[in-house]
Amino acid sequence: MFVSGLVSVFLFFHATEAFTVTTSNANVRSKVNEGADLYCTHSADFGANARVEWKFRDMKGSTTYVIFDGKPTTPYADRVIRSDGMLRFTKVISKDNGEYSCEVSGNQQFGQVNIKLTVLVPPSVPMCRIPTSVTTGHSVLLSCHDAQGSPSPTYKWYKDKIPLPEDPSKFPAFKNYTYKINPLNGNLEFPSASLTDTGDYSCEAMNDAGPVQRCQAVRMDVRNINTGGIVAGVIVALLALALLGFGLWYANRKGYLPKKSESKPKPSVVYQPTSEYGDEGDGEFRQKSSFVV
């Protein structure tokens, strides 16, 4: 009874440990242009001729082979070496960021382990978009982004060289501010800009791969709507139209403007033939044909 119990326990642990694929480091970090080692071991249950393949899934979700049929694929042929239990990069680049799968198959069984590779790239000077002129009451968006840093940088905004807290309501000096900061994508949003939002703005990009980088400060001026100027412009336009109308009326009254030409009737011609013998009663020659206009 005791022996059979030991056998059952042994078989249980043997079954749970069979066909396993493991790694000693599931989160590998390496600086750009330096080497990186990804480890993958499997149990003997897969057999001496177990098939081992490596796949890569990038940050956008696309999957490609790194090792296929025991050999590196073309994109990795000059910088990847495969050995038992390890995939070695002689040099990593930023495009190597992602998840690697070590897949093992043998004896009609399959197993895999996933390893995340993070290529450390210091941030560059972020690209900041800051408007220079804003009208009160309008929503305003300031953006800050660095496409090179890895891991993806986080962002911090400054106004007049003073850091802006992510939640202004928690700080007495910023309790009247209504802005919103997203430290992950670098956006600074003002739902309704006010005069107090005027200032010099700059943004920092940071990660743990290198020094912090900041864009050049740009001044954003917030102004009220110039209602007086709008009213004055309308009045000037109406006065100009009134003067133009009066000038046309006066010129027409004084006869300075050309009048419409009157149509003249076309001349009509009536032909009256003369008598063959003339007018005997008068004894004089008369012209019987005439042109009447």
Side-chain angles (χ1 to χ4, degrees):
M1 183 76 175
F2 177 73
V3 174
S4 62
L6 289 177
V7 171
S8 299
V9 172
F10 173 78
L11 292 176
F12 171 77
F13 281 104
H14 180 73
T16 56
E17 294 179 359
F19 298 102
T20 58
V21 182
T22 59
T23 181
S24 59
N25 187 2
N27 192 356
V28 178
R29 296 163 63 88
S30 179
K31 293 182 179 181
V32 65
N33 296 325
E34 294 187 1
D37 294 335
L38 281 60
Y39 294 95
C40 172
T41 57
H42 58 85
S43 61
D45 308 77
F46 288 99
N49 297 321
R51 183 183 180 92
V52 179
E53 293 177 339
W54 286 85
K55 288 182 180 179
F56 169 59
R57 186 172 181 268
D58 64 18
M59 305 300 290
K60 296 181 179 180
S62 300
T63 303
T64 57
Y65 276 101
V66 180
I67 300 294
F68 182 77
D69 199 19
K71 299 177 182 179
T73 56
T74 301
Y76 300 93
D78 60 342
R79 56 191 185 91
V80 168
I81 301 172
R82 177 189 175 273
S83 61
D84 291 338
M86 183 179 68
L87 179 69
R88 168 165 290 177
F89 283 84
T90 58
K91 181 178 71 173
V92 293
I93 58 178
S94 58
K95 291 183 179 180
D96 294 330
N97 267 308
E99 187 177 69
Y100 293 80
S101 299
C102 175
E103 300 179 349
V104 183
S105 58
N107 290 336
Q108 299 181 346
Q109 297 293 327
F110 174 83
Q112 77 173 50
V113 66
N114 297 327
I115 304 170
K116 181 181 178 181
L117 174 61
T118 302
V119 180
L120 302 177
V121 181
S124 60
V125 176
M127 178 179 293
C128 298
R129 291 184 172 89
I130 304 169
T132 57
S133 181
V134 177
T135 304
T136 54
H138 289 193
S139 62
V140 185
L141 178 64
L142 284 66
S143 63
C144 176
H145 181 67
D146 167 41
Q148 297 184 11
S150 175
S152 296
T154 56
Y155 302 93
K156 180 183 291 186
W157 278 94
Y158 290 79
K159 178 192 175 186
D160 299 328
K161 300 182 180 180
I162 299 175
L164 295 176
E166 293 181 19
D167 189 353
S169 63
K170 295 181 179 180
F171 298 85
F174 296 90
K175 64 180 181 180
N176 293 326
Y177 286 77
T178 59
Y179 65 80
K180 298 177 182 179
I181 290 181
N182 188 329
L184 300 181
N185 64 16
N187 286 346
L188 170 59
E189 182 180 2
F190 295 89
S192 179
S194 62
L195 295 176
T196 57
D197 296 325
T198 295
D200 297 329
Y201 288 85
S202 61
C203 171
E204 281 184 350
M206 63 196 78
N207 64 13
D208 57 359
V212 174
Q213 299 289 344
R214 184 188 295 190
C215 68
Q216 185 176 1
V218 176
R219 184 166 186 81
M220 183 178 77
D221 288 321
V222 183
R223 299 185 177 91
N224 286 320
I225 299 176
N226 188 7
T227 54
I230 296 175
V231 172
V234 172
I235 293 175
V236 170
L238 292 176
L239 288 175
L241 290 175
L243 288 174
L244 178 62
F246 176 78
L248 292 174
W249 172 82
Y250 184 81
N252 183 60
R253 182 168 182 174
K254 293 296 183 179
Y256 298 146
L257 297 179
K259 296 182 179 181
K260 295 182 179 179
S261 58
E262 298 179 356
S263 58
K264 297 180 179 180
K266 295 181 180 180
S268 58
V269 178
V270 178
Y271 175 73
Q272 295 181 351
T274 56
S275 174
E276 186 176 351
Y277 300 101
D279 192 345
E280 295 177 355
D282 294 338
E284 296 178 355
F285 173 78
R286 291 187 178 181
Q287 184 179 348
K288 294 296 183 177
S289 62
S290 64
F291 290 87
V292 179
V293 178

